[in-house]
Amino acid sequence: MTTNANQVHALETAALIKKAQETLVANDLGGYTVPTHGLYPFQWNWDSAITALGWKHFDEPRAWQEIEVLFDGQWDNGMVPHILFHQDSTTYFPGPDIWGSDKRVKSTSISQPPVVATVMKDMLETADNKVLAVEKVKSLFSSLVDYHLWWYKERDPLKTGLVVSYHPWESGMDNSPAWDEALHDVPCVDWEYERRDLGHVNSAQRPHKSEYDRFLFLVDFFKKHKFDSEIIFNECPYKVNDVGIISILHRGSKDILALGETLGIEDARLNVIAQRIALTESAINTLWCPDAEYFYCRNVLTDTLCKVRTSAGMLTVFANLADEKQTDILNSKAKQWNEASKFCMASTHPEESRYEPQRYWRGPIWLHINWMIALGFEAEGFQETADKLRNDCRALVDLSGYYEYFNPETGEGCGGKDFSWTAAIALHWLL
């Protein structure tokens, strides 16, 4: 760059940093951050973890508070719910009355990808205030272990090495085409309801009613069976090995062991986590399709792979679950994938018949997913792939600002505006 170009770039970056910080402050409800007002008026599990990474860059105590408030809603069995309903709101459906949990903090009865352990390790390693960071990790460590053990005990009681998910919302990738067949076998709910999301966002960017009918049937199913984990495991009409959850859980479990070692924490339960890590590593290749040379999710009830290429399969590199040969193959596929749309990486491969560039998880780009994928390729020495992801994500933010997700063909911002985790990942990764 020339000197003038450097100056312009520096000014643009400074403006984006300021806007990102303002976005988090505006979405702060006093200890937790909503993803965006109106559309998502509560505390979401993996949103909060990612958002803490953004707070860390200008307010470390507030970043740790985000994590602490998330764990305030932890169930006695160790689960950290996917939504915590700290206060009432009329702008979101389904709310706490539909979920029906009776916990101290009202919540949903499912979880979300457990990225919080990886975030906490990053926050400790990069902390300016090391004393505070060590204190916070030590105070949260036992709860963090409980959370991962919940995944292993409740969602893989048969010790297959691959946890199951009971709801597309649990994956965080709500209407991914990977769930189409499994979701189709779920009955539709038999009562009328009014969605609130369509009052905030164009329906072309949101899941279809046929998907919502089944989402809500599952919510009713959990409530009907009083959240009994044994009954749900045996009878849930939706059971999927989500390679995204499996990868994020695996990476997080290894990060828990690293945190324990760094801080000299002795906890016998860490041996169980180490055993489960080994189990997952021995089982992951059952999700590898040799013909397609790709990691897919699996419909557990039919024992069939969900053969649609979504970015979740790339998270195996982030988790170091793909072996050397597989990683090399995935890097080649990532390059081709990234060239298939103007911006990358689309959440569903642009050559898939079910690809929709503007509809939520059926095509749009999500910055936090691309951050994890880039981390994985960078660690494996594929810097060019990591840089492509980073540069395209920066270009999206330059073009459209801090939207929930982005159209990979046009770069248009979609979904919620002034979105917390997009601003946070920009602060942490792009700026």
Side-chain angles (χ1 to χ4, degrees):
M1 285 191 193
T2 64
T3 303
N4 283 346
N6 281 328
Q7 289 172 339
V8 169
H9 183 73
L11 287 170
E12 289 172 345
T13 299
L16 283 171
I17 290 171
K18 183 171 182 284
K19 175 63 177 172
Q21 292 176 349
E22 288 171 352
T23 298
L24 296 191
V25 170
N27 289 340
D28 182 9
L29 288 190
Y32 69 96
T33 315
V34 297
T36 188
H37 290 287
L39 182 61
Y40 302 112
F42 306 112
Q43 184 178 23
W44 262 256
N45 182 327
W46 70 332
D47 288 74
S48 251
I50 297 294
T51 298
L53 287 174
W55 280 111
K56 184 206 67 160
H57 286 270
F58 65 105
D59 189 340
E60 284 189 30
R62 178 61 187 78
W64 289 109
Q65 185 184 27
E66 189 78 28
I67 306 295
E68 288 174 323
V69 174
L70 178 63
F71 276 99
D72 279 348
Q74 187 168 31
W75 286 22
D76 292 342
N77 65 3
M79 184 184 79
V80 180
H82 104 283
I83 306 174
L84 297 177
F85 304 110
H86 293 291
Q87 51 187 281
D88 294 334
S89 174
T90 60
T91 64
Y92 179 83
F93 174 87
D97 53 326
I98 303 296
W99 284 92
S101 79
D102 57 354
K103 308 303 176 186
R104 182 180 58 83
V105 179
K106 291 178 182 177
S107 73
T108 60
S109 61
I110 56 174
S111 193
Q112 261 189 331
V115 72
V116 64
T118 298
V119 165
M120 286 170 60
K121 180 172 179 281
D122 188 307
M123 286 169 60
L124 175 65
E125 289 174 346
T126 59
D128 289 328
N129 189 337
K130 289 289 185 191
V131 174
L132 175 69
V134 168
E135 173 199 324
K136 295 300 184 184
V137 173
K138 283 184 173 179
S139 70
L140 290 163
F141 191 79
S142 183
S143 298
L144 188 61
V145 172
D146 284 339
Y147 182 31
H148 278 240
L149 289 178
W150 171 83
W151 275 105
Y152 293 126
K153 289 188 292 192
E154 302 282 349
R155 296 310 185 78
D156 186 22
L158 303 180
K159 297 184 179 179
T160 67
L162 302 174
V163 297
V164 297
S165 167
Y166 295 148
H167 199 296
W169 285 340
E170 193 159 64
S171 72
M173 303 180 181
D174 304 16
N175 68 329
S176 167
W179 323 138
D180 286 359
E181 281 76 20
L183 194 61
H184 185 265
D185 293 336
V186 175
C188 292
V189 77
D190 60 1
W191 45 273
E192 293 299 316
Y193 59 91
E194 181 188 349
R195 288 171 62 173
R196 310 279 163 78
D197 58 321
L198 302 184
H200 304 284
V201 176
N202 187 317
S203 62
Q205 298 175 11
R206 298 291 296 175
H208 293 289
K209 183 182 185 300
S210 61
E211 292 162 330
Y212 253 82
D213 287 348
R214 292 167 169 85
F215 294 160
L216 292 170
F217 178 92
L218 291 169
V219 173
D220 275 355
F221 175 83
F222 307 141
K223 184 167 63 173
K224 174 185 172 185
H225 292 292
K226 297 181 170 57
F227 319 117
D228 185 303
S229 58
E230 189 174 346
I231 293 174
I232 294 170
F233 183 80
N234 289 323
E235 298 182 17
C236 188
Y238 178 94
K239 284 172 72 174
V240 167
N241 292 137
D242 170 18
V243 72
I245 287 177
I246 289 163
S247 297
I248 291 169
L249 173 67
H250 189 76
R251 168 70 181 250
S253 290
K254 291 195 292 185
D255 288 339
I256 285 174
L257 296 188
L259 284 170
E261 188 174 345
T262 298
L263 299 178
I265 296 172
E266 293 187 12
D267 187 328
R269 296 173 302 161
L270 296 180
N271 294 327
V272 179
I273 286 183
Q275 290 162 10
R276 290 301 191 125
I277 287 171
L279 263 182
T280 299
E281 287 170 351
S282 67
I284 193 65
N285 277 333
T286 61
L287 301 183
W288 176 260
C289 177
D291 293 339
E293 295 189 308
Y294 200 66
F295 284 105
Y296 291 125
C297 301
R298 179 169 57 207
N299 182 345
V300 175
L301 297 177
T302 59
D303 192 25
T304 53
L305 293 176
C306 310
K307 290 188 176 180
V308 56
R309 289 165 292 173
T310 71
S311 56
M314 292 289 176
L315 290 170
T316 52
V317 181
F318 169 70
N320 198 23
L321 278 168
D323 64 28
E324 188 175 349
K325 183 181 178 184
Q326 288 166 337
T327 300
D328 198 43
I329 290 168
L330 291 175
N331 179 60
S332 297
K333 289 187 179 298
K335 285 184 174 181
Q336 185 273 333
W337 193 317
N338 293 341
E339 294 302 324
S341 54
K342 184 176 179 181
F343 299 92
C344 73
M345 168 182 272
S347 52
T348 299
H349 197 297
E351 292 171 3
E352 290 284 350
S353 62
R354 306 181 204 182
Y355 168 70
E356 294 181 74
Q358 83 295 337
R359 194 179 295 281
Y360 215 39
W361 285 94
R362 301 181 78 86
I365 291 168
W366 297 76
L367 263 58
H368 68 297
I369 297 294
N370 282 5
W371 165 68
M372 287 187 268
I373 293 170
L375 280 183
F377 281 119
E378 188 171 45
E380 295 297 328
F382 295 105
Q383 192 64 47
E384 183 183 344
T385 303
D387 287 346
K388 169 69 173 167
L389 287 163
R390 186 176 183 273
N391 292 338
D392 274 23
C393 286
R394 170 62 197 262
L396 289 169
V397 167
D398 285 341
L399 179 68
S400 296
Y402 299 125
Y403 272 86
E404 183 179 3
Y405 46 97
F406 300 86
N407 185 316
E409 307 296 340
T410 65
E412 177 192 2
C414 301
K417 194 179 179 185
D418 300 325
F419 214 82
S420 294
W421 70 5
T422 309
I425 281 296
L427 284 171
H428 186 65
W429 182 40
L430 305 177
L431 304 175

